[in-house]
Amino acid sequence: MATTIRDGVRLHWRLEGAADRPLLVLLNSIGTDLSLWDRTVPLLLPAFRLLRIDTRGAGGSDAPAGDYSLSMLADDVAAILDDAGVERAVVAGVSLGGMVAMQLALDHPARVSALALICTSATMDPAAWTARIETVRQKGTAAIADMAVGRFLSTGFAARHPEIADSLRDGIARQCDAGYAGAGAAIRDMALAGRIGGITVPTLVVTATLDVSTPYAGHGEHLMTIPRACHAGVDGAHLPPIEAPGALATALCRFLCTADAASDAADMLFDVGLLNRRRVLGDAWVDASLAKRTPFTADFQAMITRVAWGEIWGRPGLDDRTRRLLVLAITCALGRWEEFALHVRAGLAQGGFTTDDLKEVLMQTAVYAGVPAANTGFAEAQKIIAMLELEA
């Protein structure tokens, strides 16, 4: 933890990761603090050194009264870069953070080597933000917390992860009213739309499929007019660092890692997949599988970990339980009994599904893939159930 003081305002920031990695600055949306990135940070640390910043008005930073501006917030970031001993960095920002990142690239071009603009925009409805600011100043942030979370997270994700949705809601409700209103004024008064053509650094525009605040249409497509912009789409709503950390980390790595760093990028994607693989199958099985790698199988295992476990199991559209049951049905239908047994054992041992869930999958498979396949599936599953009962 560190603090920079600019014009009497304390600004809180955190620097983490290996000093020999390229630096990536991570900026937050309005209503959140640097913990916004907690689910994504472990996936980025193998490739980057990370500088996370609490925007003035949020988290551990001071929340002075009055309106803030994007230039003010960009100057805050520049001051923190000075204190951190960083001359130039890649800057990634979500929503308000993306707006600040664009302002920083325009006001301090020598400090920015590339941009990642995540679920953000160069123009928003001033009237809507005027109304929101007035509500916060009169009734407090608790009055807009439910609305904000409803836009921040998709309905399905919030239902599957109530602990995340509730924590986010509580964080918004507890944020200093003056800090939220001040940051809201920076969004309301931004003047980026006519200037983004002057951004000259490579820029990644990330949009999310269920984002109703800054979708590609009307927002992301405008950012694509930045001269060196490219686009990446992820699933979920307005906060990909929470809802789609694997997909976001993959997009950032692919964009930011140069050809000379291709091996580091591959390592990062492997690490993303390994986290998912351990979560689903358990440490013991993964460790045993890794120990059995040979020079002949190592590349194949690495590809499966990056693609199947990193890309597919990391997608936010389905929860782990649904994906497990899909794997059971598919492997049973195809007669892939080794894979079927692996996922039956892991799912039952970890409470990923129940024996009743497994029975229903096999009953459904009997109708759509044939009774012989389901018959063998029941037999293979029964062996594993018996072994787990003996081990209990």
Side-chain angles (χ1 to χ4, degrees):
M1 301 290 186
T3 300
T4 289
I5 298 179
R6 193 179 83 81
D7 295 339
V9 176
R10 294 177 302 165
L11 303 168
H12 174 249
W13 50 277
R14 179 186 298 168
L15 185 62
E16 53 200 319
D20 62 346
R21 298 286 193 268
L23 188 79
L24 174 60
V25 178
L26 302 175
L27 304 178
N28 314 319
S29 68
I30 191 171
T32 68
D33 57 23
L34 55 75
S35 66
L36 168 68
W37 293 92
D38 282 353
R39 287 165 61 86
T40 307
V41 161
L43 310 180
L44 294 174
L45 279 175
F48 305 102
R49 195 177 199 199
L50 303 176
L51 174 59
R52 289 195 273 171
I53 297 172
D54 279 336
T55 308
R56 71 165 62 203
S61 293
D62 286 347
D67 291 351
Y68 308 162
S69 69
L70 289 186
S71 291
M72 174 193 294
L73 301 180
D75 289 346
D76 288 346
V77 175
I80 290 170
L81 290 175
D82 288 340
D83 279 1
V86 176
E87 293 185 7
R88 201 160 185 252
V90 176
V91 183
V94 180
S95 194
L96 170 62
M99 299 165 194
V100 174
M102 286 185 275
Q103 192 73 46
L104 183 70
L106 292 167
D107 292 353
H108 304 272
R111 310 306 298 267
V112 179
S113 59
L115 290 175
L117 307 176
I118 304 161
C119 292
T120 189
S121 182
T123 180
M124 299 295 286
D125 180 3
W129 276 97
T130 296
R132 189 184 302 191
I133 293 164
E134 189 64 24
T135 297
V136 168
R137 285 180 170 156
Q138 289 184 0
K139 302 179 181 179
T141 52
I144 55 95
D146 286 336
M147 177 276 296
V149 173
R151 300 177 76 86
F152 279 173
L153 302 177
S154 67
T155 302
F157 182 87
R160 293 192 300 272
H161 299 281
E163 74 286 358
I164 294 176
D166 289 346
S167 294
L168 189 59
R169 184 180 296 105
D170 185 66
I172 295 168
R174 293 178 185 278
Q175 184 177 346
C176 173
D177 299 342
Y180 189 102
I187 297 175
R188 179 196 64 199
D189 299 336
M190 76 168 119
L192 292 172
R195 299 187 61 198
I196 59 174
I199 295 174
T200 59
V201 296
T203 299
L204 175 67
V205 177
V206 179
T207 59
T209 54
L210 301 178
D211 183 12
V212 297
S213 296
T214 55
Y216 183 84
H219 295 277
E221 63 183 351
H222 183 209
L223 299 180
M224 288 300 294
T225 63
I226 294 172
R228 301 174 66 186
C230 60
H231 176 255
V234 299
D235 289 337
H238 193 56
L239 298 184
I242 292 177
E243 194 161 346
L248 179 59
T250 299
L252 289 171
C253 186
R254 286 176 173 167
F255 171 67
L256 296 172
C257 293
T258 65
D260 292 339
S263 62
D264 289 340
D267 288 344
M268 193 279 277
L269 296 175
F270 179 87
D271 290 339
V272 171
L274 200 59
L275 288 173
N276 292 333
R277 194 178 183 189
R278 289 185 181 281
R279 184 185 74 246
V280 174
L281 300 179
D283 288 335
W285 188 91
V286 173
D287 289 339
S289 178
L290 293 175
K292 290 188 290 186
R293 285 179 299 180
T294 69
F296 181 66
T297 64
D299 287 349
F300 176 73
Q301 287 294 322
M303 181 270 288
I304 292 299
T305 302
R306 289 194 304 268
V307 177
W309 292 105
E311 291 277 355
I312 301 304
W313 282 89
R315 292 174 64 82
L318 297 174
D319 58 20
D320 283 350
R321 175 181 175 277
T322 302
R323 291 196 188 280
R324 288 182 191 270
L325 298 179
L326 282 171
V327 169
L328 294 180
I330 294 167
T331 53
C332 179
L334 294 175
R336 303 296 191 258
W337 300 117
E338 182 179 359
E339 196 79 7
F340 176 83
L342 167 64
H343 283 273
V344 168
R345 183 179 181 86
L348 290 177
Q350 296 179 3
F353 52 79
T354 67
T355 54
D356 284 338
D357 293 332
L358 175 57
K359 177 178 67 177
E360 292 305 320
V361 167
L362 294 172
M363 296 288 286
Q364 191 89 358
T365 304
V367 174
Y368 286 93
V371 170
N375 185 55
T376 304
F378 271 105
E380 293 296 320
Q382 187 60 54
K383 294 177 188 176
I384 297 165
I385 292 170
M387 285 190 293
L388 289 174
E389 289 175 347
L390 287 174
E391 294 171 3

